[in-house]
Amino acid sequence: MNVHVDIREVSLRDGLQIETPIPLSAKLELLAAVAATGVREVEATAFVSPSKVPSMADAAELAAELHNYPDIEFSALVASPNGAKRAAAAGLRSIEYVIAADDTFSVANVGRTSKQATDQIGEIVAIAHDSGVTVEVVVATAWDSPFEGPTPPRRVLEIVTAAVERGTDRLSIADTIGTVTPVRVSSLIAQVLPVIGDIPLGGHFHNTRGAGLASAYAAVSSGVTRLDASVGGLGGCPFAPGATGNIATEDLVYLLRDSDIDVDVDLQAAITAAGVAKSLVGHDLPSALLRAGDRIRV
Amino acid sequence: MNVHVDIREVSLRDGLQIETPIPLSAKLELLAAVAATGVREVEATAFVSPSKVPSMADAAELAAELHNYPDIEFSALVASPNGAKRAAAAGLRSIEYVIAADDTFSVANVGRTSKQATDQIGEIVAIAHDSGVTVEVVVATAWDSPFEGPTPPRRVLEIVTAAVERGTDRLSIADTIGTVTPVRVSSLIAQVLPVIGDIPLGGHFHNTRGAGLASAYAAVSSGVTRLDASVGGLGGCPFAPGATGNIATEDLVYLLRDSDIDVDVDLQAAITAAGVAKSLVGHDLPSALLRAGDRIRV
């Protein structure tokens, strides 16, 4: 078991992505609350099509404010070489390039097949590295597609292998629609780890079917050293209306603390940030700790 | 890892316990939906003080209807020898005798210290066995008390040892307030199993802090062969307003199915029963599968 897990806070991107757009000032309020948790990595925004993802249309404006938090490593999601260029131009030092493992999802999201998206890794790495930007390749729908069902692990390994060959700095595998459970988590990670050398592997889980924390814990037990989470469990999936979103940062921190795994995120500050998120989006969030609070510890 | 886990459906007891009482006819509607899942064990009611737990005041009336489901083993919770007598007289063939591991909770709930409650095991087993009724001793607040914080494992082992010596047929350990996480689950189970011989051990988990399924999975991985669950995740804890309740049957079945663990409960029927539960209590329930449904399987 690892003794430390890096948590990346994704509420500002994945968390807000399908919400009704909130003003930049509100995002900065959420960012301040998130920064107060002590988290070292924040996925701040996405450089994608503003017409397809209106909630991320202010990506460059938000990026211009990030210098106020010099201790945090900010990243942005991109889906194309053009997005990588925009992120670098906006001053981001780290990007996530997302590739869906199944064609139906990939075409619906970015207009390219999974293989076409994979073929762009080299170009994106070159754009990023030319600007001193690090790249994480994220394999989306790594376990299940909302359209095609189970993703063949072979397809994930093809993307991962291509990413390694083309110089990605990090990798992660994402349960985009919140369907995976511990056994399948451990099985895929056991297949991925041998082909990535010493490149750090992260996991991204949604709690859509209740098993998000169980899956995250299985991932850490299997060798993942990085986890995405979102204060309040902000974030959802457009394919599962009403479903819960990303695993909640505070719920994850609670579980990892009991597991003697060190994280940079303060539990009470994360609960506070979850309350800020709830108030900014104006509806209940699925976080358990936001309702129940910490247990008594003596 | 076990190949089969016995699920006991507790929505009719733990699920409804803190709800505004619903009519007997509504309980029978929920029971019919629960029975349609194929579950083999149902905790139907509690023979406790009607003034303290008004939602269980119709225990005897409900018990009189259970003969309609001859394939289900019904049980009732009791908290005293008198409750055991009432349950046996009402025709129940199985009882759970609950003993809180901490004194503050025990005194608040049943007016007796944990040791006083433990001292009654022999009398309750005698009452039950004289009527051909089987006894499960349930250790409540086995990991944490809402008043005293962490429960010393020694205290749990004292209760378990007394229960074994005095002839209990089954044992279970309960995370009454939904605070436990996998490492502490596995640790306590590893201490309990050596002292109980071949007596079946069950686990009872709440999802109050988001880790209910992760804990249930850890319990099964550690040797527990029986789990309580509640359709819809019905049930809560009076000490954590707004907190989610028991782990949801359908969410548990989803996770166990992916783990190649056999259960008697049909997933779609459990989702249907969760919908019935939601409609009967008239408010949202925390079940994930009730919102998101099953994933695509091919």
Side-chain angles (χ1 to χ4, degrees), chain A residues 1 144-150 177-184 207-211 213-214 217 240-244 251 254-255 258-260 288-289 291-298, chain B residues 1 144-150 177-184 207-211 213-214 217 240-244 251 254-255 258-260 288-289 291-298:
Chain A
M1 187 70 84
D144 288 297
S145 155
F147 307 111
E148 301 181 17
I177 57 168
T179 53
V180 83
T181 52
V183 169
R184 294 204 298 153
N207 198 32
T208 315
R209 284 165 184 84
L213 280 187
Y217 184 68
T244 56
D251 297 354
Y254 178 91
L255 187 154
D258 269 2
S259 312
D260 288 326
L289 268 286
R291 288 180 178 75
D294 196 1
R295 62 182 168 91
I296 297 176
R297 302 173 73 211
V298 291
Chain B
M1 186 71 85
D144 288 297
S145 156
F147 307 111
E148 302 182 16
I177 58 169
T179 53
V180 82
T181 53
V183 169
R184 295 204 297 153
N207 198 34
T208 315
R209 284 164 184 85
L213 280 188
Y217 184 68
T244 56
D251 297 354
Y254 178 90
L255 187 154
D258 269 2
S259 312
D260 288 326
L289 268 286
R291 288 179 178 74
D294 197 0
R295 64 182 167 91
I296 297 176
R297 303 173 73 212
V298 290

Side-chain angles (χ1 to χ4, degrees), chain B residues 76-81 84 95-100 110 112-122 124-125 134-140 159 168 170 172:
Chain B
L77 182 147
V78 306
S80 68
I95 60 173
E96 286 98 47
Y97 176 47
V98 178
I99 303 173
V110 298
R112 288 181 294 282
T113 65
S114 181
K115 179 167 188 314
Q116 288 169 335
T118 305
D119 287 343
Q120 292 185 318
I121 295 174
I124 285 174
V125 169
T134 63
V135 178
E136 174 170 319
V137 169
V138 178
V139 184
I159 299 170
T168 191
R170 292 173 177 164
S172 65

Side-chain angles (χ1 to χ4, degrees), chain B residues 51-78:
Chain B
S51 60
K52 290 187 76 167
V53 189
S55 57
M56 299 291 124
D58 59 2
E61 291 85 342
L62 179 64
E65 303 290 335
L66 302 179
H67 64 85
N68 292 309
Y69 301 96
D71 293 338
I72 296 177
E73 177 192 322
F74 290 102
S75 63
L77 182 147
V78 306

Side-chain angles (χ1 to χ4, degrees), chain B residues 192-261:
Chain B
V192 168
L193 284 177
V195 302
I196 67 171
D198 57 1
I199 295 177
L201 181 64
H204 176 102
F205 299 99
H206 285 249
N207 198 34
T208 315
R209 284 164 184 85
L213 280 188
S215 295
Y217 184 68
V220 172
S221 303
S222 303
V224 154
T225 58
R226 305 168 48 75
L227 288 171
D228 287 349
S230 171
V231 291
L234 190 68
C237 173
F239 305 105
T244 56
N246 294 277
I247 54 172
T249 307
E250 55 278 16
D251 297 354
L252 176 64
V253 169
Y254 178 90
L255 187 154
L256 294 180
R257 181 190 65 186
D258 269 2
S259 312
D260 288 326
I261 294 171

Side-chain angles (χ1 to χ4, degrees), chain B residues 12-13 23-25 27-28 31 42-48 55-70 72-78 83-95 133:
Chain B
L12 283 150
R13 202 284 300 171
L24 180 61
S25 59
K27 290 188 180 183
L28 295 177
L31 173 56
V42 172
E43 188 187 50
T45 187
F47 288 87
V48 291
S55 57
M56 299 291 124
D58 59 2
E61 291 85 342
L62 179 64
E65 303 290 335
L66 302 179
H67 64 85
N68 292 309
Y69 301 96
I72 296 177
E73 177 192 322
F74 290 102
S75 63
L77 182 147
V78 306
K85 287 177 191 163
R86 289 169 56 208
L92 268 296
R93 314 312 300 151
S94 186
I95 60 173
V133 172

Side-chain angles (χ1 to χ4, degrees), chain A residues 100-167:
Chain A
D102 76 294
D103 284 333
T104 313
F105 192 95
S106 186
V107 169
N109 270 263
V110 297
R112 289 181 293 283
T113 64
S114 181
K115 180 167 188 314
Q116 288 169 335
T118 305
D119 288 342
Q120 292 185 315
I121 295 174
E123 183 179 356
I124 285 174
V125 169
I127 292 166
H129 286 181
D130 282 352
S131 303
V133 173
T134 62
V135 178
E136 174 170 320
V137 170
V138 178
V139 184
T141 61
W143 284 278
D144 288 297
S145 155
F147 307 111
E148 301 181 17
T151 300
R154 172 187 48 74
R155 184 71 203 108
V156 176
L157 294 173
E158 287 168 358
I159 299 170
V160 164
T161 301
V164 171
E165 288 173 357
R166 292 161 204 177

